[in-house]
Amino acid sequence: MASFSKVLDTLKLATDQHLDELVEWLKIPSISSSSERKLDIQKAADWVASKLANAGLSVELIPTERHPFVYAETDPVPGAPVVLVYGHYDVQPVEPLEQWISGPFEPTIRDGNLYARGATDDKGQVLTHIQSVCEWLSTDYSLPLQIKFLIEGEEEVGSESLERRLPELKDRLACDCVVISDNSQYADGQPAITYGLRGIATYELSVQGPSQDLHSGSFGGAVMNPAIALCHVLSSMVDSEGRIQVPGYYDRVRALAETEREQWRKLPQTDEAFAGAIGVPELFGEAGYSTDERRWARPTFDINGLTSGHQGEGVKTIIPASASAKFSFRLVPDQDPGELTHSINQHLVGNMPKGVTWTLTPDHGAPGMLASTESKFAQAAKEAIDEAFGVEPVLIREGGSIPIVTRFQEVLDCDCLLLGWGLSDDNAHSPNEKFRIKDYHHGILASAVLWDKIGKL
Ligand code: BES
Ligand code: MN
Ligand code: MN
């Protein structure tokens, strides 16, 4: 009689193929923010659609105003739970290219890691669930639940198409639990279940001064320098301790529960180890909170890019005509990105030096999320991770954002499991992004065990 052990045997025999397939997918440069990559975006979507279709799922490529979604589902199983696996096939830009040891789209193995843009974020991680389901379907042991996949191509640019189309896709995506692997383990050797993410609000601020660059000798002292005006308002947003100065910013911030702080204090990673891994002399952040508290549950402000004036070789004594910055806030539960835009505008009105004009353009916004740690799905995930990784997972929050996740909770009224197989030193969004090959295979195994556990609920 067929049993789950048959699935496990099938999985173990296919590890080389699993890796080869990830390599193939990673070769496609599906950078969502780049208009020149439209074709590659389509290719990456087609690749995963074929992979799912070849395994017997019913698949649909859903076109959008921007990049297509790949939707697939296995057969319904009456009376059994329905799980929706969400992930993304789009990747971040690769600059600075000269810092990559091997090309971002020439996947290369070094020291047990697979290096390529998208290796951990998110092709490698979402593929773990696809592999587990495809292998399961290749056996004669039937899948004990229905699994749906929604793999999108705009996560790295804010998931706008999905946000817009979610109400209309509601019935198709109906599920008991969303499963996402687009995040990290707590540390090397310590897998985790993530029950919270921060939200985000991103902006571009551009400041205009004179109609063209001016000689700073002839005009310095007569006009406001837009780069100085920009520096002034940017530094007015945050004090030297990292406390945000925009009025009302902390009004809705949900305080950390003492029980939660207590649990996080027991986590093994030290500040020294954390600082060492990222090459800084010491860590920085808001007083009164531990590093994990600041990363996971406190709101922050960051400048992501700054542009003005002479960037070339040597000196050029000018007052630049304009200056601009891209900046973002990480948000925690109960903070509202729309409300924040209003307060930032007010703050800029009050703090921008005279003699320049400016425009603030909000880009994407998403609230912070929290998920249940007590649900039957979380229990199943604990057992699955324990069996596959050989270590019981710890419960953590993380500081990154997956814009659509709170919308899933609201619109689909479902539970949510964030199961990160990556590591925080996987270099997501940076040069030399990687995914540890062992974690990829453990992720595939954990995913298969999870379907077995959920099927038995
Ligand atoms: N996979 C990340 C989200 C993430 C990062 C979760 C770290 C947990 C820990 C995702 O692809 C991402 O990068 N999201 C962006 C969202 C933004 C572009 C709207 C982010 O967090 O900056
Ligand atoms: Mn991601
Ligand atoms: Mn990302």
Coordinates of all heavy atoms in Angstrom, one line a residue, residues 319-381:
I319 N 26.6 75.0 -7.2 CA 25.3 74.8 -6.4 C 24.4 74.0 -7.4 O 24.1 74.5 -8.4 CB 24.7 76.2 -6.1 CG1 25.6 76.9 -5.1 CG2 23.3 76.0 -5.5 CD1 25.2 78.4 -4.9
P320 N 24.2 72.7 -7.0 CA 23.4 71.9 -7.9 C 22.0 72.5 -8.1 O 21.4 73.1 -7.2 CB 23.4 70.5 -7.3 CG 24.0 70.7 -6.0 CD 24.6 72.0 -5.8
A321 N 21.4 72.3 -9.3 CA 20.1 72.7 -9.6 C 19.0 72.0 -8.8 O 17.9 72.5 -8.5 CB 19.8 72.6 -11.0
S322 N 19.3 70.7 -8.4 CA 18.3 69.9 -7.7 C 19.0 68.8 -6.9 O 20.2 68.6 -7.0 CB 17.4 69.2 -8.8 OG 18.1 68.4 -9.6
A323 N 18.2 68.2 -6.0 CA 18.7 67.1 -5.2 C 17.5 66.2 -4.9 O 16.4 66.7 -4.9 CB 19.2 67.7 -3.9
S324 N 17.8 64.9 -4.8 CA 16.6 64.0 -4.5 C 17.1 62.9 -3.7 O 18.2 62.5 -3.6 CB 15.9 63.6 -5.8 OG 16.8 62.7 -6.4
A325 N 16.1 62.3 -2.9 CA 16.4 61.2 -2.1 C 15.2 60.2 -2.2 O 14.1 60.6 -2.4 CB 16.5 61.7 -0.6
K326 N 15.6 58.9 -2.0 CA 14.6 57.9 -1.9 C 14.7 57.4 -0.4 O 15.8 57.1 0.0 CB 14.9 56.7 -2.8 CG 14.8 57.1 -4.3 CD 14.8 56.0 -5.2 CE 14.9 56.5 -6.6 NZ 14.0 55.8 -7.6
F327 N 13.6 57.4 0.3 CA 13.7 57.0 1.7 C 12.4 56.1 2.0 O 11.5 56.1 1.3 CB 13.8 58.2 2.6 CG 12.7 59.2 2.6 CD1 11.6 59.1 3.3 CD2 12.9 60.4 1.8 CE1 10.6 60.0 3.2 CE2 11.9 61.3 1.7 CZ 10.7 61.2 2.4
S328 N 12.6 55.4 3.1 CA 11.5 54.5 3.5 C 11.4 54.4 5.0 O 12.4 54.6 5.7 CB 11.7 53.1 2.9 OG 12.9 52.6 3.3
F329 N 10.2 54.1 5.4 CA 9.9 53.8 6.9 C 9.5 52.4 7.0 O 8.7 51.9 6.1 CB 8.8 54.7 7.4 CG 9.1 56.2 7.4 CD1 9.0 56.9 6.3 CD2 9.5 56.7 8.6 CE1 9.3 58.3 6.3 CE2 9.8 58.1 8.6 CZ 9.7 58.9 7.5
R330 N 10.0 51.7 8.0 CA 9.4 50.4 8.3 C 8.3 50.6 9.4 O 8.6 51.4 10.3 CB 10.5 49.4 8.9 CG 11.5 49.0 7.8 CD 11.0 48.0 6.8 NE 11.9 48.0 5.7 CZ 11.8 47.1 4.6 NH1 10.8 46.3 4.6 NH2 12.7 47.2 3.7
L331 N 7.2 50.0 9.2 CA 6.1 50.2 10.1 C 5.8 49.0 10.9 O 6.1 47.8 10.5 CB 4.8 50.5 9.3 CG 5.0 51.6 8.2 CD1 3.7 51.8 7.4 CD2 5.4 52.9 8.8
V332 N 5.2 49.2 12.1 CA 4.7 48.0 12.9 C 3.2 48.0 13.0 O 2.6 49.0 12.6 CB 5.4 48.1 14.3 CG1 6.9 48.0 14.2 CG2 5.0 49.3 15.1
P333 N 2.7 46.9 13.5 CA 1.2 46.8 13.5 C 0.5 48.1 14.1 O 1.0 48.6 15.1 CB 0.9 45.6 14.3 CG 2.1 44.7 13.9 CD 3.3 45.6 13.8
D334 N -0.6 48.4 13.5 CA -1.4 49.6 13.8 C -1.0 50.9 13.2 O -1.8 51.8 13.1 CB -1.7 49.8 15.3 CG -2.4 48.6 15.9 OD1 -3.0 47.8 15.2 OD2 -2.3 48.4 17.1
Q335 N 0.2 51.0 12.6 CA 0.6 52.2 11.9 C 0.0 52.1 10.5 O 0.0 51.0 9.9 CB 2.1 52.3 11.8 CG 2.8 52.8 13.1 CD 4.3 53.0 12.8 OE1 5.0 52.1 12.5 NE2 4.7 54.3 13.0
D336 N -0.4 53.2 10.0 CA -1.0 53.3 8.7 C -0.2 54.1 7.6 O 0.1 55.2 7.9 CB -2.4 53.9 8.9 CG -3.2 54.1 7.5 OD1 -3.4 53.0 6.9 OD2 -3.4 55.2 7.1
P337 N 0.2 53.4 6.5 CA 1.1 54.1 5.6 C 0.4 55.4 5.0 O 1.1 56.4 4.8 CB 1.3 53.1 4.5 CG 0.7 51.8 4.9 CD -0.1 52.0 6.1
G338 N -0.9 55.4 4.8 CA -1.6 56.6 4.2 C -1.5 57.8 5.2 O -1.2 58.9 4.8
E339 N -1.7 57.5 6.5 CA -1.7 58.5 7.5 C -0.3 59.1 7.6 O -0.1 60.3 7.8 CB -2.0 57.8 8.8 CG -3.0 58.6 9.7 CD -3.4 57.8 10.9 OE1 -2.6 57.6 11.8 OE2 -4.5 57.2 10.8
L340 N 0.7 58.2 7.4 CA 2.1 58.6 7.5 C 2.5 59.6 6.4 O 3.1 60.6 6.7 CB 3.0 57.4 7.4 CG 4.5 57.6 7.4 CD1 5.0 58.4 8.7 CD2 5.3 56.3 7.3
T341 N 2.0 59.3 5.2 CA 2.2 60.2 4.1 C 1.7 61.6 4.4 O 2.4 62.6 4.2 CB 1.5 59.7 2.8 OG1 2.0 58.4 2.5 CG2 1.8 60.7 1.6
H342 N 0.6 61.7 5.1 CA 0.0 63.0 5.5 C 1.0 63.7 6.5 O 1.3 64.9 6.3 CB -1.4 62.8 6.1 CG -2.0 64.1 6.5 ND1 -2.5 65.0 5.6 CD2 -2.2 64.6 7.7 CE1 -3.0 66.0 6.3 NE2 -2.8 65.8 7.6
S343 N 1.4 62.9 7.5 CA 2.3 63.6 8.5 C 3.7 64.0 7.9 O 4.3 65.0 8.4 CB 2.5 62.8 9.8 OG 1.9 61.6 9.7
I344 N 4.2 63.2 7.0 CA 5.5 63.6 6.4 C 5.3 64.9 5.6 O 6.2 65.7 5.7 CB 6.0 62.4 5.5 CG1 6.4 61.2 6.4 CG2 7.2 62.9 4.7 CD1 6.7 60.0 5.6
N345 N 4.3 65.0 4.8 CA 4.0 66.2 4.1 C 4.0 67.4 5.0 O 4.6 68.4 4.8 CB 2.7 66.1 3.4 CG 2.9 66.0 1.9 OD1 3.6 66.8 1.3 ND2 2.3 65.0 1.2
Q346 N 3.3 67.3 6.1 CA 3.2 68.4 7.1 C 4.6 68.7 7.7 O 4.9 69.8 7.8 CB 2.3 67.9 8.3 CG 0.9 67.6 8.0 CD 0.1 68.9 7.7 OE1 -0.1 69.2 6.5 NE2 -0.2 69.7 8.7
H347 N 5.3 67.6 8.0 CA 6.7 67.8 8.5 C 7.6 68.5 7.5 O 8.3 69.4 7.9 CB 7.2 66.4 8.9 CG 8.6 66.5 9.5 ND1 8.8 66.8 10.8 CD2 9.8 66.3 9.0 CE1 10.1 66.8 11.1 NE2 10.7 66.5 10.0
L348 N 7.4 68.2 6.3 CA 8.3 68.8 5.2 C 7.9 70.3 5.1 O 8.7 71.2 4.9 CB 8.1 68.1 3.9 CG 8.8 66.7 3.8 CD1 8.5 66.0 2.5 CD2 10.3 66.8 4.1
V349 N 6.6 70.6 5.1 CA 6.1 72.0 5.0 C 6.8 72.8 6.2 O 7.3 73.9 5.9 CB 4.6 72.0 5.1 CG1 4.1 73.5 5.3 CG2 3.9 71.4 3.9
G350 N 6.8 72.2 7.3 CA 7.4 72.9 8.5 C 8.9 73.0 8.5 O 9.4 73.9 9.2
N351 N 9.6 72.1 7.8 CA 11.0 72.0 8.0 C 11.9 72.3 6.8 O 13.1 72.4 6.9 CB 11.4 70.6 8.5 CG 11.0 70.4 10.0 OD1 11.8 70.8 10.9 ND2 9.8 69.9 10.2
M352 N 11.2 72.4 5.6 CA 12.0 72.6 4.4 C 12.5 74.1 4.4 O 11.7 75.0 4.6 CB 11.2 72.4 3.2 CG 11.9 72.5 1.9 SD 13.1 71.2 1.6 CE 12.1 69.8 1.1
P353 N 13.8 74.3 4.2 CA 14.3 75.7 4.1 C 13.6 76.5 3.0 O 13.2 75.9 2.0 CB 15.8 75.5 3.8 CG 16.1 74.1 4.4 CD 14.9 73.3 4.1
K354 N 13.6 77.8 3.1 CA 13.0 78.6 2.1 C 13.9 78.7 0.9 O 15.1 78.4 1.0 CB 12.8 80.0 2.6 CG 11.7 80.2 3.7 CD 11.4 81.7 3.8 CE 10.3 81.9 4.8 NZ 10.7 81.6 6.2
G355 N 13.4 79.1 -0.3 CA 14.2 79.3 -1.4 C 14.3 78.1 -2.4 O 15.1 78.1 -3.4
V356 N 13.6 77.0 -2.1 CA 13.5 75.9 -3.0 C 12.1 75.4 -3.1 O 11.2 75.8 -2.3 CB 14.4 74.7 -2.4 CG1 15.9 75.0 -2.5 CG2 13.9 74.3 -1.0
T357 N 11.8 74.7 -4.1 CA 10.5 74.0 -4.2 C 10.7 72.5 -4.1 O 11.8 72.0 -4.4 CB 9.8 74.3 -5.6 OG1 10.7 73.9 -6.6 CG2 9.5 75.8 -5.7
W358 N 9.7 71.8 -3.8 CA 9.9 70.3 -3.6 C 8.6 69.5 -3.9 O 7.5 70.1 -3.9 CB 10.3 70.0 -2.2 CG 9.4 70.6 -1.1 CD1 9.5 71.8 -0.6 CD2 8.3 69.9 -0.5 NE1 8.5 72.0 0.4 CE2 7.8 70.8 0.5 CE3 7.8 68.6 -0.6 CZ2 6.7 70.4 1.3 CZ3 6.7 68.2 0.2 CH2 6.2 69.2 1.2
T359 N 8.8 68.3 -4.3 CA 7.7 67.3 -4.4 C 8.0 66.0 -3.7 O 9.1 65.5 -3.8 CB 7.4 67.0 -5.9 OG1 8.7 66.7 -6.5 CG2 6.7 68.1 -6.7
L360 N 7.0 65.6 -3.0 CA 7.1 64.3 -2.3 C 6.2 63.3 -3.1 O 5.0 63.5 -3.2 CB 6.6 64.4 -0.9 CG 6.6 63.1 -0.1 CD1 8.0 62.7 0.3 CD2 5.8 63.2 1.2
T361 N 6.8 62.2 -3.5 CA 6.0 61.2 -4.3 C 6.0 59.9 -3.5 O 7.1 59.2 -3.3 CB 6.6 60.9 -5.6 OG1 7.0 62.1 -6.2 CG2 5.7 60.1 -6.5
P362 N 4.9 59.5 -2.9 CA 4.8 58.2 -2.2 C 4.9 57.1 -3.2 O 4.3 57.2 -4.3 CB 3.5 58.2 -1.5 CG 2.9 59.6 -1.7 CD 3.6 60.2 -2.8
D363 N 5.6 56.0 -2.9 CA 5.5 54.8 -3.8 C 4.7 53.8 -3.1 O 3.5 54.1 -2.8 CB 7.0 54.4 -4.1 CG 7.0 53.5 -5.4 OD1 6.0 52.7 -5.6 OD2 8.0 53.6 -6.1
H364 N 5.2 52.6 -2.7 CA 4.3 51.7 -2.1 C 4.2 51.7 -0.6 O 5.2 52.2 0.1 CB 4.6 50.2 -2.5 CG 6.0 50.0 -2.9 ND1 6.4 50.0 -4.2 CD2 7.1 49.8 -2.1 CE1 7.7 49.7 -4.2 NE2 8.2 49.6 -3.0
G365 N 3.1 51.3 -0.1 CA 2.9 51.3 1.3 C 2.2 50.0 1.7 O 1.3 49.5 0.9
A366 N 2.5 49.4 2.9 CA 1.8 48.2 3.3 C 2.0 48.2 4.9 O 3.0 48.6 5.4 CB 2.5 47.0 2.7
P367 N 0.9 47.8 5.5 CA 1.0 47.7 7.0 C 1.8 46.5 7.5 O 2.0 45.6 6.8 CB -0.5 47.6 7.4 CG -1.2 47.0 6.2 CD -0.4 47.4 5.0
G368 N 2.1 46.6 8.8 CA 2.8 45.4 9.4 C 1.8 44.3 9.7 O 0.6 44.5 9.7
M369 N 2.3 43.1 9.8 CA 1.4 42.0 10.0 C 1.8 41.1 11.2 O 3.0 41.1 11.6 CB 1.3 41.1 8.8 CG 2.5 40.2 8.5 SD 2.4 38.6 9.4 CE 1.3 37.7 8.4
L370 N 0.8 40.5 11.8 CA 1.0 39.5 12.8 C 0.2 38.2 12.5 O -0.9 38.4 12.0 CB 0.6 40.0 14.2 CG 1.5 41.0 14.9 CD1 0.9 41.6 16.1 CD2 2.9 40.3 15.2
A371 N 0.7 37.0 12.8 CA 0.0 35.8 12.5 C -0.1 35.0 13.8 O 0.7 35.3 14.8 CB 0.7 35.0 11.4
S372 N -1.0 34.1 13.8 CA -1.2 33.2 15.0 C 0.0 32.3 15.2 O 0.5 31.7 14.2 CB -2.5 32.5 14.9 OG -2.5 31.4 15.8
T373 N 0.4 32.1 16.4 CA 1.5 31.1 16.7 C 0.8 29.8 17.3 O 1.5 28.8 17.6 CB 2.5 31.6 17.7 OG1 1.8 32.0 18.9 CG2 3.3 32.8 17.2
E374 N -0.5 29.9 17.5 CA -1.2 28.8 18.2 C -2.1 28.0 17.3 O -2.6 27.0 17.7 CB -2.1 29.4 19.3 CG -1.4 30.3 20.4 CD -0.3 29.5 21.1 OE1 -0.6 28.3 21.3 OE2 0.7 30.0 21.5
S375 N -2.2 28.4 16.1 CA -3.1 27.7 15.2 C -2.7 26.2 14.9 O -1.5 25.9 15.1 CB -3.2 28.4 13.8 OG -2.0 28.2 13.1
K376 N -3.6 25.4 14.4 CA -3.2 24.0 14.1 C -2.2 24.0 13.0 O -1.4 23.1 12.9 CB -4.5 23.2 13.8 CG -5.3 23.8 12.7 CD -6.7 23.1 12.5 CE -7.3 23.8 11.3 NZ -8.7 23.4 11.1
F377 N -2.2 25.0 12.1 CA -1.3 25.0 11.0 C 0.1 25.3 11.6 O 1.1 24.7 11.1 CB -1.7 26.1 10.0 CG -3.0 25.8 9.3 CD1 -4.1 26.5 9.7 CD2 -3.1 24.8 8.4 CE1 -5.3 26.2 9.1 CE2 -4.3 24.4 7.8 CZ -5.4 25.1 8.1
A378 N 0.2 26.2 12.6 CA 1.5 26.5 13.2 C 2.1 25.3 13.9 O 3.3 25.0 13.8 CB 1.4 27.7 14.2
Q379 N 1.2 24.5 14.5 CA 1.6 23.3 15.2 C 2.1 22.3 14.2 O 3.2 21.7 14.4 CB 0.4 22.7 16.0 CG 0.7 21.6 16.9 CD 1.9 21.9 17.8 OE1 2.0 23.0 18.4 NE2 2.8 20.9 18.0
A380 N 1.4 22.2 13.0 CA 1.9 21.2 12.0 C 3.2 21.7 11.5 O 4.1 20.9 11.2 CB 0.8 21.2 10.9
A381 N 3.4 23.0 11.3 CA 4.7 23.5 10.8 C 5.8 23.3 11.7 O 6.9 22.9 11.3 CB 4.6 25.0 10.5

